[in-house]
Amino acid sequence: MTPGFPGFAPEFPGVTLERIQSWLPTIVTAAVVLGAVIVALVVVSRLLRRLAPRVHWYLFGFPLLRTRMRRSWRHLCLNADLTGTDRPTTEQLGPLLVRGRPIMPVLPLLRRIRPRSFGATAVILLHPGQVPEPFVNAAEAMAHAWGVHAVRVDARRRGRVRLTILTADPLTAKRTEAATWATGPPLKEAAMTSRPSEAIEPLASAVAVPADLAADVGQREDGQRWVVDLVTFPHWLITGATQSGKSTLINAAVARWAARPVALVGIDCKGGMELAPHAPRLSALATDRAEAADILAALVAETQRRMGLCRQHGARNIWQLPPDARPVPVVVIVDELAELYLVASRADKDEALRATTNLLRLAQLGAALGVHVIVAGQRVGSDFGPGVTALRAQLAGRICLRVNDEETVKMTLGDLYPDAVDAAQQIDPAVKGIAVTTADEAGWIRARSVYLSPEELAAVIAATAHLAPRLPGLTPPDA
Ligand SMILES: Nc1ncnc2c1ncn2[C@@H]1O[C@H](COP(=O)(O)OP(=O)(O)OP(=O)(O)O)[C@@H](O)[C@H]1O
Ligand SMILES: [Mg+2]
């Protein structure tokens, strides 16, 4: 019997020095081949990352992320208190009942990790007794554990929590494809609920359809288009500090609606500075509070007329009316809410009350009658008076750009999306136009509006000015 190689014996009795020497070339060849494969993979990965980032993501990035997620899941659950248990958490010890954390925790199941162009999605299946809240709070911990830009947690389906994993911030590019934007829809048309042809063409005779109220205004961080849709959310509140991108966002929306059978009304009590570029396409423009009060009163009268019309036809909203009787939808844009609410003297008070009461009535009555309100402001606070919370309650769509004070963030998002408050406070002031916004299927999401240069906006407005509908009791700004 051949003696075992010293050191290997007796566990490997057949392994001798000669044998090892005879394997050596094979081992060396295997090591060289392995090394070459690794080098080739690294080179291919680097090249792909530069030339075809999406392919790189599916071939290399995503499998790595999935491995990291699976490997860290246990630790993450233990550290972030995401575990459940199938044992009682109380035990009788002599005459005492002792309560404590179970030693044998059960992990929630991390399933369906799927690659997406923006990163990945996954589903967590909860154990009976678990609630989504700790998972929402652990979003930041997940992002750190997996080395990704952000993890969004959506907990609206019972018994499960959906994760949207974003590998990078797609919103920080300098300019969001604006050049091709003014004349046609960018990216996937199918993803948008708008008319197939966005090109600016006469639509004066066309009767509005619900899809006309959806304005594609930019890009969301999950790669989808950011659509402000007045059918899903009839009224919107936009807050943002000065120079954060409120007017830019309004411009993007107006440029979409301008080409469709939609009446636009401007309330700009900063003397008309903000909405002046839209004037030719507006059906009315208020540049001070007195005008605002009059215009809003005329619009309340118009909603009452529409109510009568709906009653006559037995319709519950304007979309149920026969096309030839259907009134044109109206979008009222208020730029700088504070100018309506805050008063300097007693004399201003009555006017402010008239304007804000009519605005609130419009928001309460308008949704079904095709009158929509978009309210923008640098700040919203309790110092505006009790009327402002009543108004906010009607504004279901929320957009929070970068703001300077916590109260405004909480007023904008805190009541509907408490977990969005942090995200809004972290908006980078260096990148303009980023917002945290209502998203129908995801609760809230970050997004960035397209930027239209003043020339691009002017071109859209000039090309659509003749489409401005006349509204009863209102005079267009140019008349
Ligand atoms: N989405 C965006 N992409 C690129 N740049 C943007 C974007 N939004 C805003 N900006 C830049 O920021 C500037 C200020 O934006 P904007 O005028 O919309 O701010 P604002 O919130 O209306 O400010 P104010 O309260 O003073 O009226 C714009 O002129 C533009 O240069
Ligand atoms: Mg502005």
Side-chain angles (χ1 to χ4, degrees):
M1 200 180 111
T2 355
F5 181 68
F8 285 89
E11 292 89 344
F12 305 100
V15 181
T16 62
L17 191 56
E18 295 80 45
R19 271 221 161 150
I20 287 183
Q21 274 170 346
S22 73
W23 289 346
L24 215 53
T26 319
I27 292 172
V28 170
T29 317
V32 169
V33 170
L34 193 68
V37 168
I38 290 174
V39 169
L41 277 177
V42 170
V43 170
V44 170
S45 159
R46 292 229 166 137
L47 270 179
L48 273 180
R49 190 181 204 149
R50 208 149 40 89
L51 302 176
R54 199 168 272 204
V55 180
H56 173 270
W57 170 243
Y58 284 101
L59 286 184
F60 295 96
F62 173 71
L64 269 176
L65 173 69
R66 188 172 47 194
T67 312
R68 202 179 292 159
M69 287 170 71
R70 293 228 166 104
R71 286 189 52 186
S72 63
W73 187 235
R74 187 179 169 79
H75 269 97
L76 188 70
C77 289
L78 289 174
N79 288 329
D81 260 346
L82 304 178
T83 53
T85 178
D86 45 15
R87 307 203 167 188
T89 51
T90 47
E91 191 109 11
Q92 190 168 359
L93 215 69
L96 297 175
L97 206 58
V98 182
R99 175 178 280 279
R101 269 175 68 173
I103 298 170
M104 296 279 285
V106 181
L107 301 186
L109 299 175
L110 180 62
R111 287 287 146 83
R112 278 192 251 150
I113 308 175
R114 301 270 189 274
R116 301 278 182 249
S117 56
F118 52 82
T121 53
V123 170
I124 302 172
L125 304 180
L126 306 185
H127 288 296
Q130 284 194 301
V131 288
E133 205 181 338
F135 294 88
V136 175
N137 296 337
E140 190 74 10
M142 294 182 205
H144 279 286
W146 302 334
V148 294
H149 166 65
V151 175
R152 305 272 178 251
V153 180
D154 171 23
R156 275 172 305 159
R157 262 196 74 183
R158 293 289 180 211
R160 62 185 53 198
V161 164
R162 196 183 139 83
L163 302 181
T164 304
I165 298 149
L166 305 157
T167 46
D169 189 350
L171 305 177
T172 44
K174 276 265 176 295
R175 217 178 119 106
T176 325
E177 17 63 45
T180 55
W181 184 85
T183 48
L187 302 182
K188 292 173 280 180
E189 259 176 49
M192 296 162 44
T193 45
S194 61
R195 289 199 160 167
S197 166
E198 279 292 324
I200 295 159
E201 53 192 42
L203 284 170
S205 59
V207 176
V209 294
D212 285 327
L213 291 180
D216 173 340
V217 294
Q219 196 191 342
R220 302 187 345 179
E221 66 179 349
D222 63 357
Q224 294 191 42
R225 302 301 303 164
W226 177 14
V227 179
V228 170
D229 185 358
L230 303 180
V231 173
T232 324
F233 298 100
H235 312 298
W236 289 73
L237 172 64
I238 305 170
T239 56
T242 180
Q243 296 297 296
S244 60
K246 298 182 297 294
S247 299
T248 304
L249 170 61
I250 289 173
N251 291 347
V254 163
R256 288 292 191 205
W257 288 319
R260 307 177 188 168
V262 173
L264 301 165
V265 173
I267 308 279
D268 177 2
C269 300
K270 279 190 193 167
M273 273 182 338
E274 297 285 335
L275 298 181
H278 306 154
R281 176 61 180 82
L282 296 181
S283 300
L285 172 64
T287 55
D288 60 38
R289 193 151 44 199
E291 284 176 11
D294 291 342
I295 287 179
L296 291 169
L299 287 170
V300 170
E302 169 63 9
T303 51
Q304 280 158 347
R305 189 189 69 81
R306 292 181 179 199
M307 246 181 241
L309 196 66
C310 287
R311 244 194 334 267
Q312 244 175 32
H313 285 85
R316 295 184 55 216
N317 58 50
I318 61 160
W319 308 113
Q320 292 178 355
L321 289 171
D324 55 336
R326 187 178 303 155
V328 65
V330 183
V331 180
V332 184
I333 297 159
V334 182
D335 201 344
E336 208 34 74
L337 184 65
E339 297 291 327
L340 279 191
Y341 275 93
L342 296 182
V343 290
S345 64
R346 268 195 92 78
D348 290 345
K349 211 170 167 186
D350 291 342
E351 213 168 68
L353 192 65
R354 200 160 75 89
T356 54
T357 311
N358 283 330
L359 181 62
L360 178 61
R361 290 193 70 196
L362 269 193
Q364 282 167 344
L365 303 174
L369 303 166
V371 180
H372 304 273
V373 178
I374 295 187
V375 175
Q378 296 186 4
R379 209 174 57 74
V380 186
S382 45
D383 55 321
F384 285 27
V388 78
T389 29
L391 178 66
R392 182 186 68 157
Q394 298 298 330
L395 310 176
R398 305 286 172 81
I399 298 171
C400 187
L401 290 130
R402 175 186 57 80
V403 295
N404 294 331
D405 63 302
E406 197 179 343
E407 186 184 5
T408 302
V409 184
K410 288 193 171 153
M411 282 289 273
T412 316
L413 301 169
D415 57 332
L416 298 180
Y417 319 105
D419 55 312
V421 169
D422 261 2
Q425 282 175 318
Q426 284 167 18
I427 291 174
D428 179 2
V431 191
K432 309 264 188 206
I434 292 191
V436 170
T437 176
T438 304
D440 39 354
E441 76 297 354
W444 63 272
I445 195 145
R446 279 169 82 252
R448 189 177 188 197
S449 62
V450 288
Y451 172 77
L452 289 184
S453 68
E455 297 75 33
E456 285 166 325
L457 178 68
V460 176
I461 296 295
T464 55
H466 64 288
L467 300 175
R470 294 293 285 250
L471 292 174
L474 295 177
T475 347
D478 285 350

